[in-house]
Amino acid sequence: MILTKLSRQKPPPLFLSSTRRLLSSAAASSSSRLRSLYSFEPPPSLHPQSPGPGPGPRPPSKKKTKPPYRPPSSLDRTKIKAVKSDLPFDFRFSYTESSPNVRPIGLREPKYSPFGPGRVNREWTGVCAPAADRRARSVEEGAEDPKLEEKRQAMRESIQGEPLTGAERKILVERCQRHRTKRHINLGRDGLTHNMLNDIHNHWRRAEAVRIKCMGVPTVDMKNVCFQLEDKTFGKIIHRHGGQLVLYRGRNYSSKKRPAVPLMLWKPHEPIYPRLIKTTIEGLSIEETKEMRKKGLAVPALTKLAKNGYYGSLVPMVRDAFLTNELIRIDCRGLEKSDYKKIGCKLRDLVPCILVTFEKEQIVVWRGQDYKPLEDVQFPMEWDENPNGKSLDGIEGVRISDSSSNEQWLSSSDDDESSNS
């Protein structure tokens, strides 16, 4: 059957075979013409040649393999040197919300440096990175080298130069107002942090002064905030209105010679401090303490604190209320537990008073048995200009207050306060 089908197929006509021969001859002639005119040689893939003694095809080039991507690691410190900072003070996470005078009773984590391993030429003690050698003095006891204070004072005087005149100061304050520029720095619940120093120097590259907006817990003690700003940045506060500050860099400030401020890569855990509220108040029995706590929660609230508000008038308000009332209650509903514990610790040191309880998001303070009102109370001075156009003195010569000991608020034993009451 297959033979019959093959026999039935018609042979190709003669004109088809002749056209094929003509086309093949024309292609050969065109290829020879291109070769003679343009010395065109077809690639070997289109015109295969028989292997001969001539040079063969080139071997494929060996490209250098790209090394695999290796992400940067803080553990690889082979080519990076440690940052050497000559700043004459101890590095802490927060300078306003911590105090070297308060010694912790324990640590919550091993002494991992928040700057990263090998990034700073200072040893992390779990609380701070001291500027002086730890073997030369006891850092944990809070003893500071007196030479550091002298060095800070000399650096501040060399950077500040001559004081500003009234007209110069007014121009700088006007440039930093809200309607003139949006550049500012927010100072929140953590206070003046270490990385904020680098932000202030970055702002000083573009302008002579920077506006700082203070909110929340640090505003209870604005005197300490102003002191730490001038002490750690070597600047000068030339204007203050409530929580708004204007920090001037100085006449002799140079951004090219700015101090090296190594950045913290993470927030270190707070150490453990003694309890703020004990089982019994000193001088009272257990029953009297329980009765006072119940009575303190029932008294009318002196004020209600707003979240991230300005609390600069809270201390004089409590002092005035103690003239007529024995117990004071402050409503803190809506605030974080850590925030109103810090506020209570600041009130204890600034008023002064005795903390009674933090139950039900309330701060209850007691004036004590032998209460005597403070006679010569100096309220915080406003860093503003007087009618004569002269700048008022800031916080030069003012010692750091003990109110920054509010880091005692964080204690594992405070969580079971309600069970003891």
Side-chain angles (χ1 to χ4, degrees), residues 404-420:
S404 57
S405 61
N406 64 314
E407 39 180 24
Q408 297 183 19
W409 67 271
L410 191 55
S411 176
S412 59
S413 56
D414 264 350
D415 298 335
D416 55 350
E417 170 198 340
S418 58
S419 61
N420 296 331

Side-chain angles (χ1 to χ4, degrees), residues 223 315-317 319-320 323 350-352 371-380:
K223 194 175 184 179
V315 173
M317 189 184 301
R319 285 174 179 168
D320 294 341
L323 298 176
L350 293 175
V351 174
Y371 176 75
K372 294 181 180 180
L374 299 178
E375 297 179 358
D376 298 334
V377 178
Q378 294 182 359
F379 291 97

Side-chain angles (χ1 to χ4, degrees), residues 238-253:
I238 59 176
H239 174 77
R240 173 186 163 191
H241 180 71
Q244 303 283 341
L245 306 176
V246 177
L247 188 62
Y248 173 60
R249 66 183 185 182
R251 289 186 183 273
N252 303 329
Y253 179 84

Side-chain angles (χ1 to χ4, degrees), residues 93-94 97 188-191 217-218 220 267 270 276 336-349 355 358 363 403 405-410:
F93 173 73
S94 178
E97 306 306 302
R189 65 173 59 176
D190 291 330
V217 179
V220 177
K267 179 180 178 180
E270 290 282 351
L276 281 176
E336 297 288 338
K337 187 176 182 180
S338 60
D339 289 353
Y340 58 77
K341 281 190 175 183
K342 290 180 182 180
I343 294 172
C345 189
K346 288 177 180 287
L347 291 176
R348 181 196 64 182
D349 298 330
L355 294 174
F358 288 125
I363 299 177
S403 64
S405 61
N406 64 314
E407 39 180 24
Q408 297 183 19
W409 67 271
L410 191 55

Side-chain angles (χ1 to χ4, degrees), residues 327-387:
L327 288 171
I328 300 296
R329 179 172 68 90
I330 302 172
D331 191 359
C332 302
R333 285 178 294 179
L335 271 68
E336 297 288 338
K337 187 176 182 180
S338 60
D339 289 353
Y340 58 77
K341 281 190 175 183
K342 290 180 182 180
I343 294 172
C345 189
K346 288 177 180 287
L347 291 176
R348 181 196 64 182
D349 298 330
L350 293 175
V351 174
C353 57
I354 299 173
L355 294 174
V356 178
T357 184
F358 288 125
E359 292 181 7
K360 300 180 180 179
E361 299 182 354
Q362 309 291 319
I363 299 177
V364 180
V365 292
W366 180 44
R367 68 182 183 183
Q369 294 179 347
D370 301 330
Y371 176 75
K372 294 181 180 180
L374 299 178
E375 297 179 358
D376 298 334
V377 178
Q378 294 182 359
F379 291 97
M381 183 183 297
E382 295 292 335
W383 277 259
D384 207 341
E385 59 183 18
N386 54 13

Side-chain angles (χ1 to χ4, degrees), residues 122-268:
R122 296 191 184 186
E123 182 183 359
W124 181 257
T125 63
V127 180
C128 65
D133 190 4
R134 190 181 179 186
R135 294 171 294 182
R137 63 183 178 91
S138 178
V139 179
E140 297 180 356
E141 294 179 359
E144 186 179 10
D145 190 357
K147 295 182 180 179
L148 296 179
E149 177 64 27
E150 297 176 1
K151 188 177 180 180
R152 287 200 299 267
Q153 187 68 22
M155 291 180 64
R156 187 180 303 110
E157 292 177 357
S158 62
I159 292 174
Q160 287 297 317
E162 298 180 1
L164 294 173
T165 62
E168 292 174 339
R169 183 171 166 274
K170 184 180 290 186
I171 291 173
L172 289 176
V173 172
E174 181 65 22
R175 288 178 182 174
C176 294
Q177 294 303 315
R178 188 182 302 176
H179 65 277
R180 294 291 299 272
T181 179
K182 295 183 179 180
R183 297 181 182 273
H184 71 283
I185 296 177
N186 290 327
L187 193 145
R189 65 173 59 176
D190 291 330
L192 177 62
T193 59
H194 178 77
N195 290 354
M196 197 177 295
L197 302 179
N198 188 61
D199 297 339
I200 292 174
H201 285 287
N202 289 339
H203 278 264
W204 279 347
R205 291 176 58 186
R206 300 177 177 86
E208 296 182 70
V210 58
R211 187 175 79 246
I212 300 176
K213 184 179 180 182
C214 304
M215 302 175 293
V217 179
T219 60
V220 177
D221 189 8
M222 287 298 297
K223 194 175 184 179
N224 183 36
V225 172
C226 297
F227 177 86
Q228 294 295 337
L229 280 171
E230 291 189 352
D231 187 61
K232 299 302 184 292
T233 62
F234 310 113
K236 176 72 175 178
I237 295 177
I238 59 176
H239 174 77
R240 173 186 163 191
H241 180 71
Q244 303 283 341
L245 306 176
V246 177
L247 188 62
Y248 173 60
R249 66 183 185 182
R251 289 186 183 273
N252 303 329
Y253 179 84
S254 176
S255 59
K256 297 181 180 179
K257 298 180 181 179
R258 55 180 287 185
V261 181
L263 299 179
M264 286 190 177
L265 304 182
W266 62 82
K267 179 180 178 180

